[in-house]
Amino acid sequence: MKDFVKVVKTRKSIRSFSDKRIDNKLLFKILELATFAPTSCNQQLWNFIIIEEPSIKDKLINIAASNTMIGKSPVLIVMTYDSWNYKEAIQAASMATNNILLASNYYGVGSIAINSFGSEKKVKKILNIPENQTICCFILLGYPDERSKNAQLVPRKPVDQLIHWNKFVKRNLVNYNYNPEDWSLMQLIDHQKYYSRKTYLGKEMDLYHNYEKDLIRNIIKRHANGKILDILTYDGSYLSEFPENSSIVCLDLCKETSDYSKESISLNKLKSNFSFEIYDKNKISPNHFDNVTMFFKAERLSNKLLNEFSHLSYDLLNENGKLIFVYRRNSFLFSLYYKTIKILFGNDIRKTGIYSFFGPYKPLKSKRLINILRKNNYNNIKEFRYFLIPPFYENLLQMYLQYKKSDGSSYLHRTKRENYLTRLMSKIIKKQGIRRSRFGSVSVVIASK
Ligand SMILES: Cc1cc2nc3c(=O)[nH]c(=O)nc-3n(C[C@H](O)[C@H](O)[C@H](O)COP(=O)(O)O)c2cc1C
C-alpha cells in the first residue's frame, strides 16, 4: 500500500520529454492496466489509438489545431469511448486515463492528459475515428527530460476544504468573475496558488504584445533606476526589460507565485540582482526604493488593493522616488473588445482563458487610479497614453484563429498563424508603432512622492 500512496502522490503532468522511446512491451503493460478500470455493465468500450508518427501529429496540430505539445512527446494516445451514452463515455474513459497516468508513473514514464486536442471533428477525420466514438482526451507519454524531472509538484487544496458532510455547504471560496471588485485578497491568492500554477513554473502565462513590452523598456530606461520594487511580478514576463545591473525586489502575493517569478528569472537567465518578498500588509519591508513599478496588474486589482499598494509604495519610496504603473485602460477600442467578450462568453474568466491565469481583469479608468494616488499624497502625477489601436488586438486575432480552427476548444496556440487579416493587422499596428494618443489604450502613470 505504501507504494500505491507514493505512486499517486508523486504523479505529475510532464510537459517536456527526452528523446528516449518507450518500449512497446512497456506501453502494452501500461495500456493493459487501463483496462482494469471500471465501466458501466463491464462494457469496456474504450479504444486506445497509439500515435508515434510525427507526420500524423503535425496533421493534428496544423489541421485540427491540437495543442503543439503533442509534437514533443514520443507517444500520443488518443482515448476514445463508444458514445451511446456520453456520460458513460467520459466517465469510463477518464477512469482508464487515470490508470494510464498512474501506471506510467509507476514505471518511470512521464505522462499528461490534455483536452486541448482541438477540433474533435477534424481529429476524427484525420485518424479515421467513427462517428459513434467520443474522444475523451489525448494522453502524452514519454520519459521526462531533466527539467520536468525536477519540476515541483503543483500544490493541492487541503482536503478539509473540499469535504461536505451530508449536504453541500456553500463556502464561496472560488470566484471567476471578471470584475476585480468581486475578488477578495484571499480569493486572488487562492487562484494564483492553484489555478495559475496549472503548468510548469516559469512559463510565460500573461499575454503582451511586443510593442507593449517595448513601451515598458522605454519607460524603464527613461524613468527607472537604482533600487526597484516591482509589485506583482507574477510570471516575470517583462523582467527582461530591466537593464542588467538593476537591483529589483519582486513582490508577490504568495510563495507559489513568488516561485513562479524566481523560475522565470532562472529560465531566462536574467542577470539583475533580484530578491523576493511576499506581500503582507502588516509586515512592511524595512527597505527603501528609488522606484516602485507595476506592469499590467493595476487593471486586475480592486480599489481596496490598488489603494493598499499605492499606500505601501508611498511608505517605501525614497524622498525623490517615483511610482510607475503601466496598465490597459478603458479606452473606447479596448472597452469595446472587453464588452464584446463578456456578451459572447459570459462573466467567467475561464471561458475565454485570456486573463484567467493571474485572476480578474477589467480595463482601468485612469481617473480611478489617479484619485487613489492623490488620496495617498503623491505629487506631480502624470499620465501618458499610448496606442490608439490596442496592439493587443494582434494577440487577440491569433486567439480567435485558434478558437475557430479548434472549433471552440482552445484559444492559445504557440505558433503564429498567418493570413490576409493577420498581415493587414500587423501592418496597421506596425505603422502605429509606440505612438502617444489622447485616446490611447495603454496608460503610463508616473507619480513622485
Ligand atoms: C481533463 C484534463 C485536461 C487537461 N488539459 C490540459 C491541457 O490542455 N494542457 C496542459 O498543459 N495541461 C492539461 N491538463 C493537466 C493539468 O493542467 C494538470 O493535471 C493540473 O494542473 C494538475 O497538475 P498535475 O497533473 O501535475 O498534478 C489537463 C488535465 C486534465 C485532467
Side-chain angles (χ1 to χ4, degrees), residues 11-13 15 69 112-116 154 156 198:
R11 185 212 53 81
K12 59 184 177 185
S13 290
R15 293 180 176 84
M69 205 162 42
I112 182 170
I114 60 167
N115 56 10
S116 49
V154 303
R156 253 58 209 190
K198 64 186 174 178

Side-chain angles (χ1 to χ4, degrees), residues 47 65 68 114 226 264 276 381 385 388 437:
N47 297 282
T68 50
I114 60 167
S264 147
F276 305 88
I381 305 169
R385 293 175 180 173
L388 174 65
S437 159

